[in-house]
Amino acid sequence: MSRRGDWVYENNGGTCVAIAGADYCVVAADTRLSVGYSILTRDHSKICELADKCVLASSGFQGDIKALHKNLSARELLYQHQHNKRMSCPAMAQLLSNTLYYKRFFPYYAFNVLGGLDSEGKGCVFTYDAVGSYERTGFSAQGTGSTLIMPVLDNQLKSPSPLLLPARDAVTPLSESEAVDLVKDVFASATERDIYTGDKLEIVVINKAGTKREYIDLRKD
Amino acid sequence: MFRNQYDTDVTTWSPAGRLFQVEYAMEAVKQGSACVGLRSRTHAVLAAANKAASELSSHQRKVFRVADHAGVALAGLTADGRVLSRFLRSECINHAFVYDAPLPVSRLALRLADKAQVCTQRSWKRPYGVGLLVAGLDESGAHLYYNCPSGNYFEYQAFAIGSRSQAAKTFLERRFEGYNDYTPDQLIRDALSAIKETLQGEKLTSSNCTVAIVGRKDDGTVEPFESIDGKKIQEIIDSMEAAEEAPPPPAAAPAAGAGAAESSSMQEEDKGTDAVPMDI
């Protein structure tokens, strides 16, 4: 495939998913890093814990993603020093949006899903495009497998429309373990048909007790 | 002090080769309330005597966390100190961003000293009126530096600055030789005793002192720079006073062993209690 000489991006593939519950949030991403039709590594984390109740999963160009995660971590540390507390998830959501739009004319090639608990302890998920447009939702999928996963989540999580009045809660009534099982199932399905998704699945669950991490094997082909 | 024809600005030398404005800035440090710092091979402790402007106000915060691995205690113009703490924090963050490693404490002290020096060589600036005790942990162990308004800095095993600090220095001079092998708990006790010397008769309680510690435990885990909770400090003060009334402990070896066991159980408790909030 011939590319322009000045194409500075590369898609390293992968898929990220997040689901918000009443008092928990599940953020998951596969661990495969690819370029073209090759696999670079089967063991690369796309998830970054930015604050104790806030986790970011990004897929896309890993060079930009690493820089973006570093940038946000440094800003969070500065926030900690200035405000004497860690950044809340909604605050980080706005910061991420601003950081992405800052590079509107040379974007971060990163498709982000931010998950965590808001200041009331309820699960929240924020989903982004590459230039910072974002929305708080009950669940989201981004990355190469997102088109395979999103319809399944729509079907299973039946989130009410954000256009309805009075505003309905977007979070799912499922329990934490049910949500984790759903995540495992959708990733197994996406792995079947998306060549860039597979190897291992990293699942991070945030609830009021803290953060838990789990790894599940996926198909390696 | 003395009125002088060579002390109008910082860029004027006196015939004796002195910069009076810089020396006057060092006087400002002596006016601030006392701070002490001490270190062992693996831990560094900072303690400050809290002074409130009046009974109605809260006391000034003198101990600031600069990074997970370092913090400062200051004496003098606390406003200058706050600004310098903000500078040190951003230096540490920038270094970690570029090199993915904590800024070594000696380099941190150097950056601070260079910043202070600039103010001694510009006619439109004045020296910072604050002395800082910089304590931190890096690959080569725990360190304690004193940075003065002149731009000089020195490494110390133990030091005290501020008003009535001479009493604390005398206390530390008698005991510093053993500090390298002290347990964190022993360091904290000596820091509190040194602060007590500066209070000169006033009773030492957890509300008129702040203590912070940073270090690496025997198993290699790092204890990040954190102020010790007021309740814990009060317990230590109470036990120190009880020990003074009781007969002195027997040999040094069993006491050190008991001290180490005590300190590790205290550290577990420390994780449970909430850290004292940092000042902005």
Side-chain angles (χ1 to χ4, degrees), chain A residues 67 70-72 74-75 77-78 80-84, chain B residues 65-67 89-90 93 96-98 277-280:
Chain A
K70 264 182 118 167
N71 203 323
L72 292 174
R75 291 297 300 272
L77 186 54
L78 204 56
Q80 262 190 70
H81 282 144
Q82 288 175 344
H83 298 92
N84 197 22
Chain B
R65 183 180 81 181
V66 151
R89 284 169 180 169
S90 90
I93 291 178
F97 187 92
V98 174
M278 298 172 337
D279 193 11
I280 294 168

Side-chain angles (χ1 to χ4, degrees), chain A residues 186-195 197-199 218-219 221:
Chain A
V186 294
F187 263 94
S189 306
T191 304
E192 293 290 325
R193 292 287 175 175
D194 178 23
I195 60 172
T197 303
D199 292 329
L218 294 173
R219 278 185 69 156
D221 62 359

